[in-house]
Amino acid sequence: MSLVDGARYRLAARAPVRQRSPAATTALMAMVVLLAAWQLAARWGLVKHGYLPAPSAVAVAGVAMARDGELWQNAQISLLEFAMGLALSIGVGIPLGLLMGWFRTVRELFEPLVMVLNAMPRIALIPMIVVWLGIGSISKIAVVFIGGVIPLIVNGMAGVRDADGSLVRLARSFCASDLQLFLKILLPGSVPSLLAGLRLAIGHAVIGVVLAEMYASVRGMGYLLQSYGTNYEAAQLFFLVIVVSAAGYLATACVQLVESRFQSWRQP
Amino acid sequence: MDQRSELAEVERSPHVELRDVRIAYKKPSESRYAIVADDVGLRIQQGEFVTIVGPSGCGKTSLLLAIDGLLRPIRGEILIRGRPVTRPGRDRAMVFQEFALLPWRTVFGNVAFGMELQGGRPSPERVERYINLVGLNGFERHHPHQLSGGMRQRVGLARALAVNPEILLMDEPFGALDAQTREVMAGELLRIWQVERKTVVFVTHDIDEAIFLADRVIVMSAAPGRVIAEIHVALPRPRRPEQRASPEFAEYRSCLHRLLFQEGRGEADREKAG
Amino acid sequence: MTGLATRLRLVRPALLGALPFAVLVVVWEVLARSHVLNRVLVSSPSLIVAALAKQLSNGTIQRDLAASAVEFAIGFGLSVVVGVLVGVVMGWYRPLSHALAPPLWLSYNAPFFALSPLLVVLLGLGTPTVVAITFLITVVPIVVNTAAGVRNVDHILVRAARSFGATDLQIFRKVALPASVPYLMAGLRLGVGRALVGVIAGEFFGGKTGLGYSISYFAGTLQTDNMMVSVVIAAMIGVFLTQGANRLERWLDAWRGWG
């Protein structure tokens, strides 16, 4: 009896190849159930009428917004601000983080400042940035930059500092110059840490661009969210929230895909 | 007559010489040095295979790092062909216990790594030659995480040999491998050593390994490590695994055991006292 | 002599680290006083200190801090309770984690603060809306990390416990829970940061007092000095909470014997 159990246990343990499709099925079924429940809740008016739009109403609103171009026009602007801010934070954050990891003096100089900026809610700076830079795209790019640059600095620094000591010793033993040590050991070694930083940066950037646009602007996804929200057009509002969430998820998932490729590096 | 004695003199002058070496570490929080190895004097001849055994913490790895130039003794000096060691050099290459392979490079890239650091682009033929020498042909495009422990250390060995050093420094290179793989690797190392006559300094805590590989075994005491014995191993070469079962081998083994065990008991007494 | 050198070496990081702050304050002050920068827009350190004193005496800061603290405590506390419970159940019952995965992925970067107009109508302006927004953006990382912690418990440990005849509850209490503490802490650390963002952003759009409300209000009325006071305080609270979370993490590690 126990033998049979043992054998079954081993079979079950070896099944992960087939586990994938049940997981997807479960997820799909759960989605269907969730949507159905939501539809019914909205239909029966479980939430004060009009404030919980039915999924069908959300879909209808979405199609209309996509059709008259409003969605794409504003999404384009937000995407551009997002991309420019993120590019800027990558261009500044990664070199600065690596420098701070490599040179002790640079690190000692800037670490406290970076730590304060890392710990504080950087979105608190949005009103200030709007006062300084106006309500146009520049202020949004600045918000995205400040949101994204800090995690990249922090992770760049950690990537260099947490370098595998045995690899550093190896390079030294083979007479590596400082530059060789940096280019051949520290830089490639910090890629996983930098990717994790990029994932965090994207999260901050998505929130940053939408919040900044909601706070003050006349275009972009945040502006749309804000104007539909203040008009209590719940269906449009929910649709936009879902679109932004999905975009944020997609961007993060892309980085995660690259990250998982580097996971196999990690030696058992 | 004069000429002949001069020649003999050259032959007798050691390849690596340690004179009265003391190695110590200081933690940043403490003001005093902790001595890990002291009064170490050693003369290693060209082409000689020397193993160093001793209890853990006796500073044998530190000695190796010092010979490589990664660590500075606080007293005494280390000479290679009469010249003091101040930093790592091209005449020495190290094989590490923890393999120290670059996880993002293939076997080929890892073997080429040392050559790359020591100037210019390594020729693929040369890399290939050393991959073949350690028996990894066919695995050039594999990454370290796809290899077994023994194969990883073959990569480490090939990487060290590929820079064509005069001295091979091996820090418990097979310490992370299982007993069987260890024996296979020891045999392989000797096979390769017959081809590439290098001076080898090999640190281990495995008595059998020390005897099987060595021309001479250096026995060290517990910390602070001192040389307590040097044993010449007169077993005939090329060595074969069967020799491990021979009476001569058993004699060396029991001799080393005695030396290390007395040391070990001393250590145990100290522990009790402390 | 060496004592002095050692002491200098010890305070060196602190001195160097304080330098950028000092330079920032001095340069800012000089530029503002010499009218290179517009003082109305950028304020200046001395003006901020004056505003701080004034806000302290008329009780604005105290009111803001109290309101934000209450919102933070309720929003974060609720997220921890709900997040850990849901996370544990999710980690323990695999199908549930499959079922909840897509909505959780979506929620991770969701702009929940955009829902504030609806929440204001449903729950009322001020604390309830801010708490709801804080909860919504904080609970997700806590759920995800807790579930990951419970799921990634070493199977060998679980098998060992089973071989000693442990019940499910015992395995959960004595193996799964301690083993998932690091994940849990990672979730809480993320959660602290996000809850702070939630409070500030929530107050921007749905508050009637609090630090975020003040920042937004003072910015809108161009009282830059007063706005900067609130920004600096928000930054200090962020540092304080992060330090607290780090200390808690170290303490928990020590408690588990990994110190």
Side-chain angles (χ1 to χ4, degrees):
Chain A
M1 191 57 208
S2 66
L3 202 81
V4 173
D5 271 346
R8 197 178 291 156
Y9 173 70
R10 230 170 294 138
L11 269 181
R14 227 187 291 158
V17 185
R18 286 190 56 206
Q19 233 172 29
R20 186 148 249 191
S21 78
T25 317
T26 314
L28 206 67
M29 269 163 50
M31 281 293 261
V32 171
V33 170
L34 201 72
L35 284 174
W38 179 5
Q39 181 84 29
L40 289 178
R43 178 70 52 82
W44 293 336
L46 290 188
V47 181
K48 209 186 279 183
H49 183 69
Y51 297 112
L52 184 66
S56 57
V58 173
V60 169
V63 169
M65 285 170 77
R67 202 171 272 162
D68 76 0
E70 187 185 28
L71 179 67
W72 178 233
Q73 272 167 23
N74 287 286
Q76 246 177 329
I77 286 156
S78 295
L79 275 175
L80 196 67
E81 290 164 354
F82 170 82
M84 287 177 72
L86 193 65
L88 211 59
S89 58
I90 290 171
V92 173
I94 292 182
L96 195 58
L98 294 176
L99 273 175
M100 283 174 66
W102 183 230
F103 294 107
R104 206 182 75 151
T105 309
V106 182
R107 176 169 62 250
E108 285 177 343
L109 208 53
F110 291 114
E111 198 172 14
L113 184 64
V114 169
M115 286 309 143
V116 168
L117 286 171
N118 192 35
M120 77 174 286
R122 292 189 291 287
I123 51 133
L125 300 173
I126 289 176
M128 184 183 86
I129 290 170
V130 169
V131 168
W132 289 356
L133 299 177
I135 64 165
S137 281
I138 302 285
S139 61
K140 314 303 175 296
I141 293 170
V143 169
V144 172
F145 170 74
I146 289 179
V149 76
I150 300 296
L152 285 167
I153 292 177
V154 169
N155 279 41
M157 186 165 72
V160 174
R161 293 205 70 191
D162 301 345
D164 187 341
S166 70
L167 295 185
V168 173
R169 205 162 64 175
L170 159 81
R172 289 288 186 215
S173 168
F174 280 102
C175 315
S177 65
D178 281 358
L179 187 68
Q180 281 177 320
L181 178 65
F182 183 78
L183 291 178
K184 289 180 191 281
I185 302 284
L186 300 179
L187 192 61
S190 53
V191 167
S193 176
L194 285 174
L195 282 172
L198 182 61
R199 191 157 40 80
L200 286 174
I202 286 175
H204 287 292
V206 170
I207 295 222
V209 79
V210 173
L211 255 182
E213 283 175 350
M214 279 177 64
Y215 184 77
S217 77
V218 289
R219 48 193 197 156
M221 293 299 274
Y223 163 74
L224 275 191
L225 281 164
Q226 181 68 359
S227 54
Y228 280 114
T230 43
N231 290 327
Y232 302 105
E233 294 184 73
Q236 282 84 346
L237 187 63
F238 268 69
F239 175 74
L240 289 169
V241 167
I242 292 171
V243 167
V244 172
S245 311
Y249 169 67
L250 258 158
T252 331
C254 287
V255 181
Q256 238 157 1
L257 208 66
V258 183
E259 274 185 277
S260 66
R261 280 192 53 111
F262 285 92
Q263 279 295 316
S264 57
W265 277 10
R266 292 206 297 179
Q267 299 185 11
Chain B
M1 187 63 202
D2 245 345
Q3 237 177 359
R4 272 177 75 182
S5 74
E6 208 175 26
L7 203 70
E9 190 64 26
V10 170
E11 267 173 14
R12 252 186 284 121
S13 90
H15 191 181
V16 181
E17 184 175 7
L18 278 68
R19 284 189 193 150
D20 194 21
V21 167
R22 170 188 286 177
I23 292 171
Y25 291 98
K26 195 170 94 168
K27 283 186 193 158
S29 54
E30 289 160 16
S31 57
R32 290 189 59 188
Y33 281 96
I35 298 171
V36 294
D38 206 0
D39 294 329
V40 177
L42 270 182
R43 293 161 72 87
I44 298 166
Q45 300 301 324
Q46 168 102 43
E48 197 180 7
F49 201 126
V50 170
T51 57
I52 304 178
V53 285
S56 53
C58 75
K60 47 194 195 297
T61 293
S62 301
L63 277 181
L64 210 61
L65 293 175
I67 298 173
D68 195 35
L70 287 168
L71 194 72
R72 266 237 171 118
I74 63 162
R75 211 179 70 189
E77 53 181 351
I78 297 171
L79 305 170
I80 289 177
R81 291 196 193 291
R83 291 228 183 95
V85 169
T86 52
R87 61 168 73 129
R90 290 165 186 229
D91 53 347
R92 283 150 287 156
M94 188 127 174
V95 180
F96 297 87
Q97 179 183 8
E98 65 275 30
F99 312 135
L101 302 182
L102 308 184
W104 53 86
R105 287 196 179 203
T106 60
V107 167
F108 188 94
N110 269 292
V111 173
F113 181 68
M115 295 153 86
E116 231 174 88
L117 290 181
Q118 300 196 352
R121 299 188 60 77
S123 79
E125 297 80 30
R126 201 173 150 76
V127 176
E128 200 59 49
R129 204 185 109 211
Y130 284 97
I131 290 176
N132 287 337
L133 182 67
V134 298
L136 279 180
N137 26 332
F139 291 96
E140 288 85 349
R141 306 194 69 80
H142 284 61
H143 280 83
H145 68 93
Q146 297 167 301
L147 304 177
S148 68
M151 288 161 92
R152 285 185 207 171
Q153 197 53 293
R154 285 170 195 261
V155 177
L157 185 58
R159 176 178 60 195
L161 290 170
V163 298
N164 196 22
E166 294 172 19
I167 305 165
L168 203 53
L169 303 168
M170 308 187 74
D171 177 21
E172 300 195 35
F174 309 144
L177 308 180
D178 61 89
Q180 234 175 336
T181 313
R182 246 173 177 211
E183 285 197 18
V184 174
M185 289 298 288
E188 282 280 279
L189 176 60
L190 285 184
R191 175 183 66 76
I192 291 163
W193 182 62
Q194 305 288 358
V195 183
E196 310 251 327
R197 269 329 254 228
K198 310 280 183 203
T199 304
V200 182
V201 186
F202 186 108
V203 164
T204 178
H205 59 253
D206 183 318
I207 292 175
D208 277 33
E209 192 172 77
I211 301 164
F212 182 74
L213 293 170
D215 294 321
R216 187 154 53 108
V217 181
I218 311 289
V219 185
M220 290 186 67
S221 68
R226 291 164 209 269
V227 177
I228 50 173
E230 291 189 22
I231 295 165
H232 286 267
V233 181
L235 298 170
R237 289 193 190 268
R239 304 234 166 107
R240 299 175 319 275
E242 306 89 79
Q243 283 172 300
R244 288 179 189 256
S246 70
E248 293 90 342
F249 200 97
E251 216 164 290
Y252 285 120
R253 185 187 290 134
S254 66
C255 170
L256 276 171
H257 237 285
R258 227 173 14 249
L259 285 163
L260 285 168
F261 181 64
Q262 278 164 1
E263 262 311 310
R265 208 172 44 192
E267 197 176 13
D269 287 347
R270 261 202 301 284
E271 253 168 46
K272 236 179 267 167
Chain C
M1 207 53 200
T2 46
L4 186 69
T6 320
R7 212 171 304 156
L8 265 178
R9 208 168 325 126
L10 285 178
V11 296
R12 186 189 127 107
L15 284 178
L16 279 178
L19 197 63
F21 293 98
V23 169
L24 186 73
V25 167
V26 170
V27 169
W28 189 358
E29 185 70 40
V30 168
L31 289 181
R33 281 194 187 223
S34 58
H35 298 283
V36 176
L37 293 174
N38 183 340
R39 268 160 89 169
V40 176
L41 291 185
V42 303
S43 181
S44 82
S46 58
L47 290 173
I48 294 170
V49 171
L52 172 72
K54 204 162 156 203
Q55 281 197 38
L56 270 174
S57 67
N58 68 21
T60 313
I61 289 183
Q62 292 88 326
R63 236 185 354 262
D64 281 352
L65 275 177
S68 292
V70 166
E71 288 156 359
F72 180 89
I74 302 177
F76 182 65
L78 215 57
S79 305
V80 172
V81 173
V82 174
V84 170
L85 279 177
V86 173
V88 164
V89 175
M90 247 180 83
W92 205 243
Y93 299 105
R94 247 163 203 267
L96 194 65
S97 79
H98 298 318
L100 288 181
L104 281 175
W105 292 335
L106 273 187
S107 312
Y108 221 104
N109 291 315
F112 285 119
F113 31 76
L115 298 177
S116 53
L118 303 184
L119 292 171
V120 167
V121 175
L122 289 173
L123 306 169
L125 191 70
T127 307
T129 294
V130 178
V131 166
I133 291 173
T134 306
F135 171 77
L136 283 173
I137 81 163
T138 309
V139 75
V140 180
I142 298 180
V143 169
V144 170
N145 277 284
T146 310
V150 173
R151 201 165 41 238
N152 289 342
V153 169
D154 194 343
H155 288 291
I156 295 167
L157 288 181
V158 174
R159 202 182 298 166
R162 274 211 205 290
S163 89
F164 282 109
T167 63
D168 269 12
L169 189 67
Q170 280 175 320
I171 288 179
F172 176 72
R173 270 189 34 216
K174 294 181 192 287
V175 179
L177 208 59
S180 50
V181 163
Y183 286 87
L184 201 80
M185 270 314 301
L188 290 190
R189 207 147 25 85
L190 276 174
V192 166
R194 286 177 71 123
L196 207 53
V197 169
V199 168
I200 303 280
E203 287 174 352
F204 279 176
F205 302 108
K208 49 183 185 187
T209 47
L211 282 170
Y213 175 80
S214 278
I215 292 171
S216 169
Y217 170 79
F218 289 134
T221 51
L222 267 187
Q223 304 181 50
T224 328
D225 313 339
N226 283 320
M227 174 193 76
M228 295 304 288
V229 170
S230 308
V231 170
V232 170
I233 291 176
M236 277 160 54
I237 290 173
V239 172
F240 175 74
L241 288 173
T242 310
Q243 295 287 345
N246 287 342
R247 196 158 295 178
L248 181 66
E249 194 164 14
R250 244 174 293 147
W251 180 76
L252 275 173
D253 274 350
W255 169 70
R256 298 196 322 153
W258 285 10

